[in-house]
Structures are given as C-alpha cells and as structure tokens.
Amino acid sequence: MTSSPVRLRAVDAPGQPDVTPELESLYRGFEAELLVPLWTEIGDLMPVHPRSGAVPHVWRWERLARLAEEAGRIVPVGRGGERRAIALANPGLGGRPFASPTLWAAIQYLMPGEDAPEHRHTQHAFRFVVEGSGVWTVVGGDPVPMNRGDFLPQAGWSWHAHHNAADRPMAWIDGLDIPFQYMAESQFFEFGREEVTERTTPERSRAERLWGHPGLRPVGVGRGGPGSPLLSYKWEYTDRALADQLALEREGYGGVVEPGHAAVRYSNPVDGGDVLPTMRAEFHRIARGAETAPVRETGSSVFQVFDGSGTVTVGDRAWSVARGDLFVVPSWTPLSVRSEAGSSDSDSGALDLFRFSDAPVFEALELDRYAKDA
C-alpha cells in the first residue's frame, strides 16, 4: 500500500478537538482514505482576507536587458524553443516562471533579421514596447508594426509570428494569462508555418484601418472572436489622452483619478470592454511631485515604468524605480506611487506606468474588491 499524501496532526489549540488516542486514530483513518477535515484547514482555506503566495518584487530593466542581449548571442530562435522570451519568476512562487499566480510577464528579444516562427495557443497575450522599433508582429496574416509605447493585444488561438526588419536588436514585454490557464488546465498549443511570409511594412495594419478610428465602428464587420479586433494601440493617442487629462485638471475640470493622477484603459472598440477576456491593460501618468493614495485590490498586477522616475510602495516594500523597471503587486497588497522630478519624454517629468492585471477574471466571478487605505 502506498503512503498517503495527506498528513494530519492533532494539536492542542483553541478551536481544535482535544488530543486523545481516539482523535489520533480518527486522523490516521482520514489519511488512509485521503480525507481532510475542514477544522484543521479553515484558517488557510478561508482567511479573513486574501493572502497571496506571491510577494512584492521589482525587476530592474538594465539587468533584464543585459541578460536578454547575452541570450541573443547564445540562444537561437526557431522551432521548438519558439521564442527568446525570459519570464519573471516571483520569489514567492517556488521558482515557477510566474509573475503572480495568474499573470505571466517576460522580456522577449529578437536579433536583426530574425523570425520568431508562427504558432498559436489558447493563452491570451499582448506585447508592450518600452524601447525601440522595427519589429513586426504578424497576427492572422496581418503585419502590425511595433514601436515604443505601442500596446498590441492578441486574443487566444490567433496565429502569430514576429520578424525583426531593423538593423539592431529589439526587446519588448510580453504578458499572458499562462498561470491562470495552467491552473485551470485549459491550455492548448499548435505549431504554424515554418517561415514568416508577410514581410511588407505597411504604415498601418489592416486591423487598424478598420478599427482604429476613435468612436467609429465599421458596420459591415461582425463582432468576431474574443478580445479586441484592434491589434495596435498607438502611443501617440495614449500620450495625448493622458496629457489632456492633466491639462484639464490644471484648468479646473474633472477627469483624473485623483489629484495629479491621469489614467486610461485600453478598450475593445466593439463593446468598450477589456481588450482581452482575462487581462486588463491600463496606462497611468503621475504628475511631477504627485503621490497616489494607497489602494488594495483583489487580483494581481504587473507594472512597467515607461518613463520618468519615482518611488513605489507595495505592502511593506518600497523601491525607487526608473525607465523600464517592472514590479508586481500581489492580491490585496496596498500600493502607492510617488513621482519624482527628473528628465522625461512626457508631460514635464511625470512618472508613466503601464499596468496589466487579472481584473476581468475577478469581475466576471464577482470576486473583485477595492479599498483605499487610511
């Protein structure tokens, strides 16, 4: 008879039964039949508030980029390995390549002239470009340019490949719901064509020509599949929206989240919902010298500093962050951000933050909660 993985220990503690030979015998019977009584587990299974296995952590862009560059010299891209993608591993999750229990984030690196071969998977994904230009992602045969500040969502089970048409390497951030689908045991994967044949470089993708007109929806096109049909959200529009919010605040009008804090959410032009079924993407701009109020939310988030510098406080951890740095906020862990004076490409020293989270999952299951700390 194989030993049981269930291990029960009678303890002398409040709320627990008296430790007796009869109780010990009962527990051995539970173990043999693979049974676990709730009274020994309730504090862990039903805590008074979420207690994430993930912990707050920051990854420095300078170190990530250096290691990705080294991987570019050593590790080939091709069928089998598929992508030169290096995932963030939260130190609280036992070495798994997960930024949080539900979110996967990685730096992907492509050398000049390289192709990342075509494949598809049920995991929903996006790319966010913090540095460079010249790579084209091809989604469903539609070539989409990637430039600094662009956000490129891609619904699950879409054929996709990448091609670097530039004369220098390029790195960007990938975000996927791999941990969530891994936990749900719902994932599928399929190889596609061996070579990328779409090597044209149009100014705008076909998806952008159809769906990239603010407030206008094409009448002759149906809803389509899950996720946004718009494959690229250009930085120039994101930047303008944030700048306009802060300008309106200075003029005495509303529109910001809180004083000095502008934010936008990337939305599906079909219905105004989230761009992907399992992930939400936002962009936040904290004006020079402004500080956000501490907030807690169920679900986890990953942030990347797009520009500027500041101080981030996540739970009892605080870091100075600068361009490119990434950090994770576990479920129900308070977050506050302070912008610092310094050089910036945007809005006179503001701190720009790209954020993605698992909020759509929590909202769909009515498990979302939000609270401001005093």
Side-chain angles (χ1 to χ4, degrees):
M1 178 179 177
T2 58
S3 61
S4 171
V6 175
R7 292 286 184 271
L8 301 174
R9 188 168 64 92
V11 295
D12 183 10
Q16 296 297 306
D18 293 337
V19 179
T20 64
E22 291 81 5
L23 182 67
E24 294 283 5
S25 178
L26 177 64
Y27 281 4
R28 301 298 82 76
F30 284 165
E31 290 174 352
E33 297 301 325
L34 301 179
L35 301 171
V36 179
L38 178 60
W39 63 81
T40 65
E41 301 288 330
I42 190 168
D44 184 50
L45 296 177
M46 297 180 179
V48 295
H49 58 75
R51 296 190 311 210
S52 180
V55 298
H57 191 71
V58 64
W59 290 266
R60 300 299 183 183
W61 180 253
E62 181 182 356
R63 301 172 193 168
L64 294 178
R66 184 173 66 248
L67 289 168
E69 182 181 4
E70 186 175 351
R73 295 194 302 268
I74 298 171
V75 181
V77 171
R79 187 60 77 209
E82 294 295 299
R83 302 289 188 262
R84 193 184 291 109
I86 306 158
L88 310 184
N90 190 288
L93 299 178
R96 299 294 303 173
F98 302 158
S100 83
T102 53
L103 300 174
W104 192 88
I107 179 173
Q108 187 170 161
Y109 195 83
L110 207 59
M111 299 290 285
E114 277 189 330
D115 291 342
E118 187 180 65
H119 63 213
R120 63 178 178 175
H121 41 70
T122 49
Q123 291 88 352
H124 302 291
F126 69 80
R127 281 160 285 285
F128 178 73
V129 186
V130 72
E131 298 286 2
S133 63
V135 166
W136 293 74
T137 185
V138 180
V139 181
D142 189 5
V144 186
M146 294 170 58
N147 299 293
R148 173 166 160 78
D150 291 351
F151 169 72
L152 302 99
Q154 172 203 296
W157 214 234
S158 301
W159 291 113
H160 59 284
H162 313 308
H163 170 65
N164 188 350
D167 58 0
R168 63 185 61 187
M170 183 169 164
W172 64 90
I173 291 299
D174 287 336
L176 292 90
D177 60 358
I178 289 175
F180 172 73
Q181 293 206 30
Y182 180 86
M183 174 182 60
E185 298 180 344
S186 60
Q187 63 271 50
F188 290 87
F189 179 93
E190 187 175 342
F191 293 115
R193 298 170 298 173
E194 294 292 332
E195 296 184 4
V196 179
T197 58
E198 295 85 2
R199 296 184 176 275
T200 57
T201 54
E203 181 180 349
R204 296 181 299 155
S205 66
R206 296 193 299 273
E208 189 178 0
R209 291 162 65 189
L210 265 181
W211 293 99
H213 305 284
L216 302 173
R217 174 178 171 174
V219 175
V221 181
R223 177 180 177 84
S228 174
L230 181 59
L231 300 178
S232 178
Y233 293 69
K234 301 295 189 185
W235 168 243
E236 61 181 294
Y237 304 121
T238 307
D239 182 37
R240 186 183 307 161
L242 295 163
D244 282 346
Q245 283 187 28
L246 292 177
L248 286 167
E249 180 192 23
R250 291 191 292 268
E251 295 165 16
Y253 299 100
V256 295
V257 176
E258 56 189 329
H261 179 187
V264 294
R265 180 176 300 167
Y266 299 95
S267 64
N268 187 329
V270 175
D271 56 14
D274 285 296
V275 289
L276 295 167
T278 56
M279 290 185 290
R280 173 167 296 165
E282 299 173 341
F283 205 104
H284 295 250
R285 177 168 290 170
I286 317 301
R288 179 198 297 263
E291 183 171 3
T292 67
V295 296
R296 298 175 186 257
E297 297 178 75
T298 50
S300 53
S301 298
V302 176
F303 288 79
Q304 182 169 42
V305 179
F306 181 69
D307 202 14
S309 61
T311 301
V312 173
T313 303
V314 185
D316 59 0
R317 304 289 305 276
W319 310 286
S320 294
V321 294
R323 178 165 164 161
D325 292 346
L326 293 111
F327 61 93
V328 63
V329 181
S331 183
W332 211 241
T333 305
L335 164 71
S336 62
V337 180
R338 178 168 56 86
S339 178
E340 297 174 355
S343 61
S344 174
D345 292 341
S346 58
D347 216 60
S348 302
L351 174 60
D352 279 356
L353 296 168
F354 171 78
R355 175 197 187 192
F356 74 101
S357 72
D358 49 19
V361 175
F362 283 76
E363 291 180 0
L365 298 175
E366 297 190 0
L367 296 173
D368 55 309
R369 287 199 182 190
Y370 173 93
K372 282 191 175 183
D373 279 16

